[in-house]
């Protein structure tokens, strides 16, 4: 029998045998119950926030190592799009509220110093959705290395997006900062209601190439059959500054060679 139940039984007993003579004691006991209940609920909420923050911190390292400082070229059905991931985009994919600036949020997460007091939840970003989103963050940040789909004209309840990538479990939504720019950036991560009727077109991703932001040519292969890449580019007359003679499979590349100060 818990302490809460014991106190309630005692209150009912005092009411039964003492009437109003014990009302001061009864008030004290009620105050104690409310205090302990508040503390218990607060501890439970903080533990839940700590769990989410831990997932965010772990995912930030994956985001940094695999996406930040790079531009990606997605090839599909003879078409192509360029996407880029920046420090400030990370926050929008986590599904939480914060008083930190987006870049500061990311920097703290990468250093694993983001704490549970740095986040909170609202009706727009509720706890349950944040908990679900953060379960998929690591998977989302490795999406461009695995079999996936490109979808166009993505419809959501809050906003429509030009482009998305999905493995049917998660959906990364992209759009342009300005219409006169060619590179798309991530705006949202969706983990529910991923249905085909939300998209205008669906294509299989054939290849994903990447380059560092301070380089002009794409020279890393993130996904796809390297042996067929040249024929694919010739077939669809795709150029896009691809250095076909120096393509390196990213899985065989020594990441320790990479500089840590990518151009953002």
């Amino acid at each position: 029998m818990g302490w809460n139940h014991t106190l309630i039984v005692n209150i009912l007993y005092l009411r039964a045998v003492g009437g109003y003579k014990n009302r001061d004691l009864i008030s004290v006991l009620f105050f104690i119950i409310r205090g302990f209940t508040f503390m218990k609920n607060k501890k439970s909420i903080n533990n839940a926030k700590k769990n989410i923050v831990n997932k965010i911190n772990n995912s930030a390292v994956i985001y940094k190592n695999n996406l930040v400082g790079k531009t990606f070229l997605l090839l599909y059905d003879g078409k192509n799009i360029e996407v880029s991931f920046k420090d400030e985009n990370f926050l929008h994919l986590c599904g939480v509220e914060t008083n930190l600036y987006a870049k500061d949020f990311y920097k703290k997460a990468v250093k694993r110093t983001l704490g549970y007091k740095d986040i909170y939840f609202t009706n727009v970003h509720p706890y349950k959705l944040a908990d679900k989103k953060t379960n998929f963050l690591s998977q989302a940040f490795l999406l461009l290395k695995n079999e996936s789909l490109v979808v166009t004209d993505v419809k959501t309840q809050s906003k429509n997006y030009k482009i998305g990538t999905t493995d049917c479990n998660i959906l990364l939504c992209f759009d342009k900062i300005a219409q006169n720019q060619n590179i798309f950036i991530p705006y949202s991560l969706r983990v529910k209601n991923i249905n085909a009727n939300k998209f205008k077109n669906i294509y299989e991703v054939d290849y994903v190439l990447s380059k560092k932001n301070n380089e002009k040519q794409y020279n890393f292969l993130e996904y796809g059959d390297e042996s067929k890449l040249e024929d694919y580019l010739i077939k669809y007359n795709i150029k896009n500054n691809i250095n076909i003679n120096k393509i390196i499979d990213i899985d065989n590349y020594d990441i320790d060679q990479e500089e840590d100060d990518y151009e953002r």
Side-chain angles (χ1 to χ4, degrees), residues 109-123:
V110 167
K111 294 177 181 177
R112 300 182 185 273
T113 59
L114 189 73
Y116 72 93
K117 293 182 180 180
D118 291 320
I119 67 168
Y120 62 96
F121 310 107
T122 62
N123 290 335

Side-chain angles (χ1 to χ4, degrees), residues 20-32:
Y20 289 100
K21 295 179 181 179
N22 294 308
R23 63 183 179 181
D24 291 339
L25 180 56
I26 291 171
S27 297
V28 171
L29 291 174
F30 264 122
F31 180 79
I32 293 173

Side-chain angles (χ1 to χ4, degrees), residues 47-63:
N47 285 339
K49 291 171 70 175
K50 287 177 182 178
N51 180 50
I52 287 179
V53 164
N54 186 52
K55 290 185 288 184
I56 290 174
N57 287 341
N58 290 337
S59 299
V61 177
I62 297 175
Y63 185 85

Side-chain angles (χ1 to χ4, degrees), residues 5 76 107 113 136 151 188 200-201 203-204 208 237 247:
H5 184 272
Y76 59 97
K107 288 177 181 178
T113 59
F136 287 97
V151 295
S188 180
K200 183 176 181 181
N201 299 298
Y203 305 96
E204 290 186 14
V208 178
N237 193 29
I247 288 291

